[in-house]
Amino acid sequence: INLIAGGDINPQPMIGEDTANAVPADERTYFEIVMGKPVKPLTDEELRNRVIYTNLIGAGVIALWGTAFWDYFTTAPVAGDEGWFGSNAKYGGADKLGHMYSGYLFSLGFSSLFEYWGMDEEESLSYGPLTSLVIHGMMEVGDSFSKSQGFSYEDLIMNTLGAAFYYAREKYPAVKEPLDFRLEYFPDFNSDQDLFTQYDSMKYLMALKFSGFESMQDTPMKYFEFQVGYYTRGYEDNDVYSTKERVVYAGIGINSSEVLKALGWT
């Protein structure tokens, strides 16, 4: 059996009544099975049920992870005043951009998953960001029961901004074609910080891609982009940094997507 194509020289009977559009159950790849690819096209009700289950499972995973690693449910509900990007903020504001990026990334991931299951693009564009907000909302509820965290309205705002940016980017080509929101991350595997909060190893940036402008698409300028980013250093227990730094930077970057296209990648 070809595990990539999932092929079988003797296909088995289809599962499900809709045999015209069904996929043989034993011809799905391992990836398709893990991702829950339907054996037959799902009805609208079945798709929405999957969205509900996804939200419930996601919230449950957050609750379990937070209980294990983020001291959830160890105190009565409290609110935390974390500040925004000030020098006295816990991470100098890097965590706020982390929440925005997470809101964006979760929206992208869940929208893609729902579309993979058969939901039409317009619906998945709404349900993905909403699922992101539910799961991040659960995270804030858990934070409110944490001695080290506390409920943060700033985080909630940034989660919402990330989901809204995803929606606007996918809805309007004029936003998507020239603009990327990115994370640069080189994990420190010797750090005591978990992989999600190693802000000394992260940079967040917006890239304005010149290839997104029609006037530059047939010129060498399409290989370049203008970047604006933000990062902090020294806000964690890290022997490498003796002082705290908050850095805003700008620069010209190489649009690697366009370079790969020019080399024949599709």
Side-chain angles (χ1 to χ4, degrees), residues 47-126:
L47 281 169
R48 291 193 177 93
N49 284 338
R50 282 201 177 199
V51 171
I52 293 172
Y53 299 147
T54 299
N55 278 267
L56 292 174
I57 292 171
V61 169
I62 291 295
L64 290 174
W65 183 274
T67 301
F69 299 102
W70 295 335
D71 71 350
Y72 280 9
F73 310 113
T74 57
T75 186
V78 294
D81 183 11
E82 296 188 354
W84 288 97
F85 296 89
S87 59
N88 294 324
K90 186 175 181 181
Y91 296 108
D95 58 320
K96 299 298 168 274
L97 289 178
H99 276 274
M100 183 177 176
Y101 189 79
S102 178
Y104 166 74
L105 200 63
F106 275 43
S107 298
L108 168 63
F110 285 118
S111 291
S112 300
L113 178 63
F114 299 154
E115 199 170 335
Y116 182 74
W117 286 342
M119 184 176 288
D120 70 65
E121 186 176 354
E122 192 67 28
E123 273 197 301
S124 69
L125 186 55
S126 299

Side-chain angles (χ1 to χ4, degrees), residues 131-188:
T131 300
S132 173
L133 291 175
V134 167
I135 291 178
H136 282 99
M138 178 63 211
M139 197 179 299
E140 290 307 316
V141 170
D143 282 352
S144 72
F145 290 91
S146 166
K147 293 178 181 178
S148 62
Q149 303 295 328
F151 176 83
S152 168
Y153 75 91
E154 300 99 332
D155 290 349
L156 205 59
I157 290 173
M158 297 305 283
N159 293 335
T160 304
L161 283 177
F165 176 75
Y166 168 77
Y167 181 87
R169 190 171 183 271
E170 293 300 315
K171 184 75 173 178
Y172 305 106
V175 177
K176 183 173 185 175
E177 291 172 3
L179 198 59
D180 274 355
F181 184 23
R182 301 180 189 157
L183 165 66
E184 291 184 5
Y185 182 25
F186 295 92
D188 179 3

Side-chain angles (χ1 to χ4, degrees), residues 188-247:
D188 179 3
F189 295 105
N190 295 317
S191 173
D192 293 332
Q193 296 287 128
D194 66 69
L195 292 174
F196 300 104
T197 58
Q198 288 187 15
Y199 296 112
D200 276 345
S201 301
M202 300 180 183
K203 294 180 180 180
Y204 297 93
L205 65 95
M206 285 283 186
L208 184 67
K209 302 177 291 185
F210 299 149
S211 61
F213 298 94
E214 188 174 351
S215 61
M216 300 185 190
Q217 289 175 352
D218 295 323
T219 73
M221 290 297 292
K222 69 180 180 181
Y223 297 112
F224 298 93
E225 56 192 27
F226 178 69
Q227 300 178 355
V228 176
Y230 182 79
Y231 63 92
T232 64
R233 296 293 183 263
Y235 279 82
E236 302 169 10
D237 293 330
N238 192 328
D239 295 336
V240 176
Y241 305 102
S242 58
T243 59
K244 295 180 178 179
E245 300 177 11
R246 294 172 296 145
V247 182

